[in-house]
Amino acid sequence: MSSVVIAIVVVVVVLVAAGLLVAAWSMLRRRRLRTKFGPEYDRTMEESDSRKAAERELSERERRHAEFDIRELSDEEKQRYRAEWAHMQERFVDAPADAVTAADVLVADIMAERGYPTEGYDQQLADLSVEHAATVGHYRAAHEIAIRRSDTRISTEDMRFAVVQYRELFEDLLGSAPGEKKDAKR
């Protein structure tokens, strides 16, 4: 075999190996993003022009999120927010639309206190999706009702549904201490 043929074979082997390495890295990245973002991964894929663009968007969310100074709430802060939540639920009986507004504000307050930026609903969704992908869909559903709460077609049952959806994110944002279980009584 001549040295030219050997050089060509080596170049081809190196290019194939590099291609396999890039494909494996891409597959691992895709799997990691899909696992981390869950349904939000699928939603972003549907809204994007391509898989590459969707994955770039999700990676950008992670990069932005890494710059935040997110903190856990103290036990006292959690108690205070749970008391505010209980008060909001009591108000629901007499003023469901006001209670939905209060739930929306309460979730935004918790986000701000934990260190999440709150400068716009779409950005809030993106920021929350990094650590709260399982409940960001609940927030989306609740907020949709909240912004339409003055619409006469929104029923009390719709508003109740919104409060239940807000509660999913509320509990997720409060978090649980190690060993603490979330129970239905809260």
PDB file of all heavy atoms in Angstrom, residues 108-124:
ATOM      1  N   ALA A 108     -46.388  34.643  41.449  1.00  0.00           N
ATOM      2  CA  ALA A 108     -45.362  35.595  40.995  1.00  0.00           C
ATOM      3  C   ALA A 108     -44.529  36.107  42.172  1.00  0.00           C
ATOM      4  O   ALA A 108     -43.311  36.272  42.043  1.00  0.00           O
ATOM      5  CB  ALA A 108     -46.014  36.755  40.257  1.00  0.00           C
ATOM      6  N   ASP A 109     -45.156  36.338  43.314  1.00  0.00           N
ATOM      7  CA  ASP A 109     -44.425  36.784  44.496  1.00  0.00           C
ATOM      8  C   ASP A 109     -43.409  35.737  44.954  1.00  0.00           C
ATOM      9  O   ASP A 109     -42.273  36.064  45.321  1.00  0.00           O
ATOM     10  CB  ASP A 109     -45.384  37.098  45.654  1.00  0.00           C
ATOM     11  CG  ASP A 109     -46.195  38.360  45.435  1.00  0.00           C
ATOM     12  OD1 ASP A 109     -45.883  39.136  44.495  1.00  0.00           O
ATOM     13  OD2 ASP A 109     -47.161  38.576  46.199  1.00  0.00           O
ATOM     14  N   ILE A 110     -43.830  34.478  44.943  1.00  0.00           N
ATOM     15  CA  ILE A 110     -42.916  33.402  45.348  1.00  0.00           C
ATOM     16  C   ILE A 110     -41.751  33.327  44.363  1.00  0.00           C
ATOM     17  O   ILE A 110     -40.593  33.182  44.771  1.00  0.00           O
ATOM     18  CB  ILE A 110     -43.646  32.048  45.437  1.00  0.00           C
ATOM     19  CG1 ILE A 110     -44.678  32.081  46.563  1.00  0.00           C
ATOM     20  CG2 ILE A 110     -42.652  30.909  45.665  1.00  0.00           C
ATOM     21  CD1 ILE A 110     -45.622  30.887  46.576  1.00  0.00           C
ATOM     22  N   MET A 111     -42.065  33.424  43.082  1.00  0.00           N
ATOM     23  CA  MET A 111     -41.000  33.397  42.082  1.00  0.00           C
ATOM     24  C   MET A 111     -39.978  34.496  42.355  1.00  0.00           C
ATOM     25  O   MET A 111     -38.772  34.245  42.357  1.00  0.00           O
ATOM     26  CB  MET A 111     -41.589  33.578  40.686  1.00  0.00           C
ATOM     27  CG  MET A 111     -42.343  32.378  40.173  1.00  0.00           C
ATOM     28  SD  MET A 111     -43.184  32.710  38.600  1.00  0.00           S
ATOM     29  CE  MET A 111     -41.828  33.242  37.569  1.00  0.00           C
ATOM     30  N   ALA A 112     -40.471  35.699  42.585  1.00  0.00           N
ATOM     31  CA  ALA A 112     -39.572  36.830  42.835  1.00  0.00           C
ATOM     32  C   ALA A 112     -38.758  36.612  44.100  1.00  0.00           C
ATOM     33  O   ALA A 112     -37.543  36.862  44.116  1.00  0.00           O
ATOM     34  CB  ALA A 112     -40.380  38.123  42.926  1.00  0.00           C
ATOM     35  N   GLU A 113     -39.399  36.139  45.150  1.00  0.00           N
ATOM     36  CA  GLU A 113     -38.687  35.940  46.413  1.00  0.00           C
ATOM     37  C   GLU A 113     -37.620  34.853  46.291  1.00  0.00           C
ATOM     38  O   GLU A 113     -36.574  34.928  46.922  1.00  0.00           O
ATOM     39  CB  GLU A 113     -39.665  35.590  47.540  1.00  0.00           C
ATOM     40  CG  GLU A 113     -38.988  35.595  48.885  1.00  0.00           C
ATOM     41  CD  GLU A 113     -39.881  36.006  50.024  1.00  0.00           C
ATOM     42  OE1 GLU A 113     -41.033  36.409  49.800  1.00  0.00           O
ATOM     43  OE2 GLU A 113     -39.414  35.923  51.162  1.00  0.00           O
ATOM     44  N   ARG A 114     -37.869  33.878  45.459  1.00  0.00           N
ATOM     45  CA  ARG A 114     -36.877  32.808  45.265  1.00  0.00           C
ATOM     46  C   ARG A 114     -35.734  33.257  44.363  1.00  0.00           C
ATOM     47  O   ARG A 114     -34.691  32.615  44.331  1.00  0.00           O
ATOM     48  CB  ARG A 114     -37.548  31.580  44.668  1.00  0.00           C
ATOM     49  CG  ARG A 114     -38.439  30.897  45.696  1.00  0.00           C
ATOM     50  CD  ARG A 114     -38.599  29.446  45.506  1.00  0.00           C
ATOM     51  NE  ARG A 114     -37.352  28.750  45.279  1.00  0.00           N
ATOM     52  CZ  ARG A 114     -37.256  27.633  44.579  1.00  0.00           C
ATOM     53  NH1 ARG A 114     -38.325  27.093  44.046  1.00  0.00           N
ATOM     54  NH2 ARG A 114     -36.097  27.038  44.403  1.00  0.00           N
ATOM     55  N   GLY A 115     -35.936  34.356  43.606  1.00  0.00           N
ATOM     56  CA  GLY A 115     -34.865  34.874  42.760  1.00  0.00           C
ATOM     57  C   GLY A 115     -35.114  34.765  41.270  1.00  0.00           C
ATOM     58  O   GLY A 115     -34.218  35.047  40.472  1.00  0.00           O
ATOM     59  N   TYR A 116     -36.316  34.373  40.892  1.00  0.00           N
ATOM     60  CA  TYR A 116     -36.651  34.315  39.470  1.00  0.00           C
ATOM     61  C   TYR A 116     -37.026  35.704  38.982  1.00  0.00           C
ATOM     62  O   TYR A 116     -37.771  36.411  39.659  1.00  0.00           O
ATOM     63  CB  TYR A 116     -37.852  33.393  39.216  1.00  0.00           C
ATOM     64  CG  TYR A 116     -37.541  31.931  39.318  1.00  0.00           C
ATOM     65  CD1 TYR A 116     -37.785  31.236  40.497  1.00  0.00           C
ATOM     66  CD2 TYR A 116     -37.000  31.244  38.239  1.00  0.00           C
ATOM     67  CE1 TYR A 116     -37.501  29.887  40.595  1.00  0.00           C
ATOM     68  CE2 TYR A 116     -36.720  29.895  38.334  1.00  0.00           C
ATOM     69  CZ  TYR A 116     -36.971  29.224  39.512  1.00  0.00           C
ATOM     70  OH  TYR A 116     -36.689  27.888  39.607  1.00  0.00           O
ATOM     71  N   PRO A 117     -36.565  36.097  37.800  1.00  0.00           N
ATOM     72  CA  PRO A 117     -37.046  37.343  37.214  1.00  0.00           C
ATOM     73  C   PRO A 117     -38.533  37.196  36.891  1.00  0.00           C
ATOM     74  O   PRO A 117     -38.983  36.111  36.557  1.00  0.00           O
ATOM     75  CB  PRO A 117     -36.231  37.483  35.924  1.00  0.00           C
ATOM     76  CG  PRO A 117     -35.094  36.528  36.053  1.00  0.00           C
ATOM     77  CD  PRO A 117     -35.553  35.443  36.982  1.00  0.00           C
ATOM     78  N   THR A 118     -39.258  38.271  36.984  1.00  0.00           N
ATOM     79  CA  THR A 118     -40.700  38.202  36.706  1.00  0.00           C
ATOM     80  C   THR A 118     -41.096  39.241  35.666  1.00  0.00           C
ATOM     81  O   THR A 118     -42.189  39.775  35.705  1.00  0.00           O
ATOM     82  CB  THR A 118     -41.508  38.392  38.010  1.00  0.00           C
ATOM     83  OG1 THR A 118     -41.128  39.616  38.622  1.00  0.00           O
ATOM     84  CG2 THR A 118     -41.304  37.243  38.974  1.00  0.00           C
ATOM     85  N   GLU A 119     -40.224  39.485  34.686  1.00  0.00           N
ATOM     86  CA  GLU A 119     -40.454  40.534  33.704  1.00  0.00           C
ATOM     87  C   GLU A 119     -41.209  40.098  32.468  1.00  0.00           C
ATOM     88  O   GLU A 119     -40.835  40.408  31.372  1.00  0.00           O
ATOM     89  CB  GLU A 119     -39.129  41.178  33.283  1.00  0.00           C
ATOM     90  CG  GLU A 119     -38.300  40.370  32.303  1.00  0.00           C
ATOM     91  CD  GLU A 119     -37.262  39.485  32.937  1.00  0.00           C
ATOM     92  OE1 GLU A 119     -37.157  39.466  34.161  1.00  0.00           O
ATOM     93  OE2 GLU A 119     -36.549  38.793  32.200  1.00  0.00           O
ATOM     94  N   GLY A 120     -42.252  39.388  32.622  1.00  0.00           N
ATOM     95  CA  GLY A 120     -43.048  39.018  31.450  1.00  0.00           C
ATOM     96  C   GLY A 120     -43.402  37.545  31.489  1.00  0.00           C
ATOM     97  O   GLY A 120     -42.569  36.691  31.786  1.00  0.00           O
ATOM     98  N   TYR A 121     -44.625  37.290  31.178  1.00  0.00           N
ATOM     99  CA  TYR A 121     -45.168  35.948  31.289  1.00  0.00           C
ATOM    100  C   TYR A 121     -44.391  34.914  30.469  1.00  0.00           C
ATOM    101  O   TYR A 121     -44.019  33.854  30.980  1.00  0.00           O
ATOM    102  CB  TYR A 121     -46.641  35.972  30.890  1.00  0.00           C
ATOM    103  CG  TYR A 121     -47.267  34.619  30.819  1.00  0.00           C
ATOM    104  CD1 TYR A 121     -47.476  33.869  31.976  1.00  0.00           C
ATOM    105  CD2 TYR A 121     -47.632  34.066  29.595  1.00  0.00           C
ATOM    106  CE1 TYR A 121     -48.043  32.610  31.906  1.00  0.00           C
ATOM    107  CE2 TYR A 121     -48.203  32.812  29.529  1.00  0.00           C
ATOM    108  CZ  TYR A 121     -48.398  32.087  30.680  1.00  0.00           C
ATOM    109  OH  TYR A 121     -48.947  30.842  30.616  1.00  0.00           O
ATOM    110  N   ASP A 122     -44.118  35.189  29.196  1.00  0.00           N
ATOM    111  CA  ASP A 122     -43.405  34.214  28.360  1.00  0.00           C
ATOM    112  C   ASP A 122     -42.018  33.918  28.907  1.00  0.00           C
ATOM    113  O   ASP A 122     -41.573  32.763  28.898  1.00  0.00           O
ATOM    114  CB  ASP A 122     -43.307  34.708  26.914  1.00  0.00           C
ATOM    115  CG  ASP A 122     -44.645  34.676  26.197  1.00  0.00           C
ATOM    116  OD1 ASP A 122     -45.518  33.871  26.601  1.00  0.00           O
ATOM    117  OD2 ASP A 122     -44.831  35.460  25.252  1.00  0.00           O
ATOM    118  N   GLN A 123     -41.346  34.942  29.409  1.00  0.00           N
ATOM    119  CA  GLN A 123     -40.017  34.724  29.982  1.00  0.00           C
ATOM    120  C   GLN A 123     -40.127  33.948  31.293  1.00  0.00           C
ATOM    121  O   GLN A 123     -39.288  33.110  31.601  1.00  0.00           O
ATOM    122  CB  GLN A 123     -39.282  36.057  30.201  1.00  0.00           C
ATOM    123  CG  GLN A 123     -37.830  35.874  30.559  1.00  0.00           C
ATOM    124  CD  GLN A 123     -37.052  35.151  29.467  1.00  0.00           C
ATOM    125  OE1 GLN A 123     -37.026  35.579  28.320  1.00  0.00           O
ATOM    126  NE2 GLN A 123     -36.415  34.049  29.814  1.00  0.00           N
ATOM    127  N   GLN A 124     -41.180  34.220  32.075  1.00  0.00           N
ATOM    128  CA  GLN A 124     -41.395  33.451  33.306  1.00  0.00           C
ATOM    129  C   GLN A 124     -41.534  31.963  32.980  1.00  0.00           C
ATOM    130  O   GLN A 124     -40.938  31.119  33.656  1.00  0.00           O
ATOM    131  CB  GLN A 124     -42.663  33.906  34.027  1.00  0.00           C
ATOM    132  CG  GLN A 124     -42.557  35.232  34.720  1.00  0.00           C
ATOM    133  CD  GLN A 124     -43.896  35.671  35.312  1.00  0.00           C
ATOM    134  OE1 GLN A 124     -44.939  35.093  35.027  1.00  0.00           O
ATOM    135  NE2 GLN A 124     -43.860  36.694  36.128  1.00  0.00           N
TER     136      GLN A 124
END
